[in-house]
Amino acid sequence: QVQLVESGGGLVQPGGSLRLSCAASGSILRLNDMGWYRQAPGKQRELVATITSGGSTKYADSVKGRFTISRDNAKNTEYLQMNSLKPEDTAVYYCKAAVQPTTLWRFLDYWGQGTQVTVSS
């Protein structure tokens, strides 16, 4: 079994910062691309940022220059540093990882349970 566990969400004022973490654990042979997604009430889930195993990153236009995705391959963990937060960043944030379990020859996508981020004064 593979699990992704997120942490770091919460309530923050506009202009503030938060750092999300997502740790993958279980029967993991390899981790490939990892990413963060978010879903606001009444909206579809959208991509926030992705990072390859080699460290190449991509960002949604709405978060460029404010959010930074990173990963620690030794810890099977990814991070999302969120600065200059805006009320429109309020959403449930989900991490995703492409994982090759020890029991399979191919990669599968796994999702975390989600963590709430609320930006409000």
Side-chain angles (χ1 to χ4, degrees):
Q1 290 288 347
V2 174
Q3 285 188 318
L4 270 59
V5 178
E6 297 139 343
S7 60
L11 173 65
V12 63
Q13 292 186 342
S17 298
L18 282 175
R19 189 191 194 209
L20 305 183
S21 300
C22 174
S25 63
S27 303
I28 298 171
L29 184 61
R30 285 190 298 170
L31 274 178
N32 203 351
D33 293 357
M34 304 183 79
W36 290 94
Y37 295 72
R38 67 186 182 187
Q39 187 166 19
K43 294 187 177 182
Q44 289 189 332
R45 191 173 297 188
E46 63 176 2
L47 172 70
V48 176
T50 61
I51 185 167
T52 68
S53 57
S56 297
T57 58
K58 291 184 180 179
Y59 296 91
D61 288 342
S62 59
V63 306
K64 280 181 182 176
R66 300 188 297 122
F67 291 11
T68 302
I69 189 171
S70 61
R71 64 191 285 171
D72 185 333
N73 291 330
K75 296 181 178 179
N76 288 342
T77 300
E78 65 168 332
Y79 307 94
L80 186 68
Q81 177 66 43
M82 304 185 293
N83 299 328
S84 303
L85 282 161
K86 306 175 181 179
E88 51 264 41
D89 294 317
T90 295
V92 178
Y93 284 70
Y94 298 89
C95 65
K96 177 184 172 183
V99 179
Q100 183 181 8
T102 55
T103 55
L104 292 177
W105 58 271
R106 60 188 177 94
F107 286 87
L108 297 175
D109 285 337
Y110 289 85
W111 290 87
Q113 81 285 358
T115 185
Q116 177 70 46
V117 171
T118 302
V119 185
S120 175
S121 54

